[in-house]
Amino acid sequence: MAEQPQPRQETMSAGERMGAILMRQRPDRVPFMPFIFGYCARNVGYRIARVYDDGEKSFWAQMWTAEMFGYDGGAMYGYASMGGWEFGGDIKMPLSEWEQAPIVAKFPAQTPERVDALEIPDVETAGCYPIAIEFARIQQQFGMPIMVMGFGALTPAGNIAEVHVFRRWMMKKREVAHKLLRKVTDFANKVTDYFGHNFPKYPSLPFTGEATWANQIISPKQFEEFVLPYMKEIHDHILGI
Amino acid sequence: MKALYDGVVDFDEDKVVEYSKLVLDEDVDAYEAIMDGLAAGMEHVGEMYANQEYFVPEVLMCSDALYAGLDILRPHVSGKEARVKGQVVIGTVEGDVHDIGKNLVKMMFDVAGFTVHDLGRDVKLERFVEEQLKTDSDIVALSALMTTSMLAMPKVIEMIKARNPDVMIMVGGAPISQEVADNYGADGYAKNAANAVQEAIQIVSRLREMGKA
């Protein structure tokens, strides 16, 4: 009978392992970080909405679940439909049996005129950011890295205009698409500045989820025009902080 | 025909509208214009998508152009071609807002001559049951993009079958496979939009043979 491979002896705690990664040192093993917000909420007896609409409950649901299963990483706050609520639309939290994540219930800018009228939001009051800030303060309290849901460009723009409207602008009204992307990018940079200035002593782990330009949804040419320059600017701004 | 074909391929809605009106003015057969112009153009778009010359935004723009022509021409289709192939209720299940794939399947059904009742996205499960009963549709087509939202499918299939055991259910979407469809109790599964229509036509033929449709 073939000898079964033995699990490698762990020599670091989850915190030390993630710390090593952040310090560009070699961890004892590859960290394991599942992406299971809804499961965390249900696992500790909360409704799924709590992991998105309550910073403190979200934090503890994720930490308790991580402790229970012994995986690395820890807690972070965010969701894929960011953009709509933050720019003045409405969000619908997952409350029914089959809903798993927040979705945009009212898109704030579905016409070129509305894009013109959009103002760059105040981070402290914009959509989910009061919850994200509360979440970051708890992370700070426990000496953890601040995991910030940063803003991408194309996906939030799709959540502001609605994907089908935005993809028409990409093809037929490119100047409107770029105008919206400009505003989204300005807000993304403002978010970076806010967390950089308010949590200066803690390492930040900004992350973005950009589903709309994943896989083969848009062409390489469209990526080059509508994603790359904005994402580069956002990433450069983060690295500048 | 060539102008309709080109209008769809070049996603030129204005051109498609102009030439669709011309088809009617010059008494050209509307069904032929749909099949040899619009549908043939869309078929070429499908090839361009497969060859990665077009991506989803372009395909959806072509679809807009196709619908602009269909809206004008379809009311003028007559004779045996006017007979609908069947009726379909379609939607993305509750908890899922991703509808690009569902819209492509809907378009294929439309072109193929089905009457389509599109419920949209994030559709409450009861709505599928109600709409099927209201329209007496042959098929209910369910879409889901996420492994989390696909879990609603067996529930809605059970609800629909409880009220009308004769209706056929098709499922599709990125996380779905034939095995999943079988486990969920679906009658049909399609890997992509083109397969969905072939599967649906077979299902409706089966139903008609059984005297149920």
Side-chain angles (χ1 to χ4, degrees):
Chain A
M1 194 173 146
E3 194 175 328
Q4 294 295 312
Q6 296 299 308
R8 185 183 294 181
Q9 185 67 42
E10 292 183 358
T11 57
M12 289 178 168
S13 67
E16 289 168 343
R17 193 168 294 121
M18 296 307 293
I21 299 276
L22 282 175
M23 302 305 291
R24 298 182 181 221
Q25 292 166 357
R26 190 181 179 86
D28 61 338
R29 64 164 171 76
V30 174
F32 176 66
M33 299 170 66
F35 200 71
I36 50 172
F37 289 130
Y39 178 78
C40 290
R42 297 287 285 267
N43 183 45
V44 301
Y46 295 147
R47 300 181 78 167
I48 288 176
R50 294 294 89 80
V51 85
Y52 300 107
D53 69 7
D54 185 321
E56 189 173 357
K57 285 190 169 71
S58 179
F59 177 83
W60 285 113
Q62 293 179 61
M63 293 304 290
W64 289 331
T65 305
E67 187 181 343
M68 182 186 292
F69 290 98
Y71 57 77
D72 306 300
M76 58 184 173
Y77 179 82
Y79 53 88
S81 297
M82 286 179 81
W85 191 18
E86 289 64 37
F87 272 80
D90 294 334
I91 197 83
K92 184 175 131 197
M93 288 292 166
L95 292 171
S96 84
E97 184 183 355
W98 304 104
E99 291 169 330
Q100 297 288 331
I103 56 175
V104 180
K106 185 182 158 202
F107 297 95
Q110 296 197 281
T111 63
E113 294 74 27
R114 292 287 304 148
V115 171
D116 278 337
L118 277 184
E119 291 184 3
I120 312 297
D122 175 6
V123 177
E124 286 195 335
T125 56
C128 76
Y129 275 98
I131 304 163
I133 292 165
E134 181 196 4
F135 193 93
R137 287 199 181 113
I138 300 170
Q139 288 180 313
Q140 176 183 244
Q141 189 186 331
F142 287 92
M144 296 167 64
I146 309 297
M147 294 197 73
V148 183
M149 179 72 189
F151 240 58
L154 192 68
T155 301
N159 290 330
I160 292 168
E162 211 259 310
V163 170
H164 294 299
V165 173
F166 191 79
R167 55 102 179 155
R168 282 192 182 94
W169 290 346
M170 281 171 67
M171 305 294 293
K172 298 265 182 176
K173 291 184 177 169
R174 288 159 59 186
E175 73 288 354
V176 179
H178 281 294
K179 196 176 282 180
L180 180 52
L181 286 166
R182 181 69 261 152
K183 292 189 176 189
V184 170
T185 302
D186 288 345
F187 181 62
N189 291 338
K190 212 169 153 182
V191 169
T192 302
D193 290 342
Y194 181 89
F195 282 92
H197 293 148
N198 286 282
F199 301 94
K201 290 181 186 167
Y202 295 85
S204 280
L205 291 174
F207 70 99
T208 56
E210 279 279 19
T212 307
W213 50 267
N215 303 322
Q216 295 175 5
I217 293 179
I218 62 170
S219 69
K221 207 171 161 189
Q222 287 160 343
F223 179 85
E224 215 171 301
E225 179 177 348
F226 294 102
V227 177
L228 191 59
Y230 299 101
M231 287 311 291
K232 187 169 184 325
E233 182 183 328
I234 291 167
H235 291 176
D236 285 347
H237 195 82
I238 291 169
L239 293 171
I241 294 276
Chain B
M1 301 295 171
K2 178 77 167 66
L4 289 175
Y5 178 101
D6 290 342
V8 169
V9 174
D10 299 336
F11 42 92
D12 187 340
E13 268 187 65
D14 293 341
K15 187 176 183 177
V16 169
V17 168
E18 183 190 339
Y19 280 89
S20 295
K21 286 176 179 168
L22 201 62
V23 163
L24 301 181
D25 290 346
E26 297 193 353
D27 219 17
V28 177
D29 186 278
Y31 183 75
E32 273 183 43
I34 291 173
M35 297 314 289
D36 298 342
L38 302 176
M42 207 63 213
E43 198 179 329
H44 183 61
V45 169
E47 288 163 15
M48 293 176 80
Y49 178 74
N51 294 332
Q52 298 195 344
E53 292 169 66
Y54 272 4
F55 288 77
V56 169
E58 286 90 349
V59 173
L60 293 172
M61 293 299 288
C62 295
S63 153
D64 290 347
L66 175 126
Y67 274 112
L70 275 184
D71 289 345
I72 295 168
L73 295 171
R74 202 159 37 189
H76 299 275
V77 174
S78 57
K80 67 176 184 346
E81 289 87 4
R83 182 173 173 249
V84 291
K85 288 202 170 69
Q87 288 197 76
V88 183
V89 172
I90 191 169
T92 306
V93 296
E94 187 174 352
D96 201 323
V97 293
H98 304 92
D99 62 353
I100 289 175
K102 184 271 295 174
N103 288 341
L104 291 174
V105 173
K106 171 184 182 268
M107 178 190 68
M108 297 300 286
F109 277 125
D110 272 322
V111 172
F114 282 78
T115 298
V116 184
H117 307 282
D118 182 12
L119 299 180
R121 59 193 181 184
D122 186 23
V123 179
K124 293 273 179 208
L125 304 190
E126 301 78 28
R127 283 281 295 122
F128 287 103
V129 181
E130 291 163 5
E131 190 70 11
Q132 190 282 322
L133 290 172
K134 194 174 94 185
T135 60
D136 194 27
S137 290
D138 313 285
I139 294 171
V140 178
L142 307 168
S143 170
L145 181 78
M146 303 184 295
T147 49
T148 48
S149 57
M150 70 191 255
L151 300 176
M153 284 178 164
K155 176 69 180 171
V156 69
I157 291 171
E158 184 189 323
M159 289 163 65
I160 294 166
K161 294 276 187 183
R163 296 293 298 274
N164 185 352
D166 291 340
V167 71
M168 295 288 173
I169 316 281
M170 291 179 64
V171 293
I176 311 295
S177 62
Q178 183 66 58
E179 188 184 359
V180 170
D182 293 342
N183 287 339
Y184 283 0
D187 304 290
Y189 158 74
K191 201 174 176 182
N192 56 46
N195 288 353
V197 172
Q198 289 165 7
E199 180 80 6
I201 288 170
Q202 286 172 12
I203 284 175
V204 173
S205 299
R206 283 207 310 267
L207 279 171
R208 287 196 167 130
E209 278 167 21
M210 291 159 67
K212 289 174 180 170

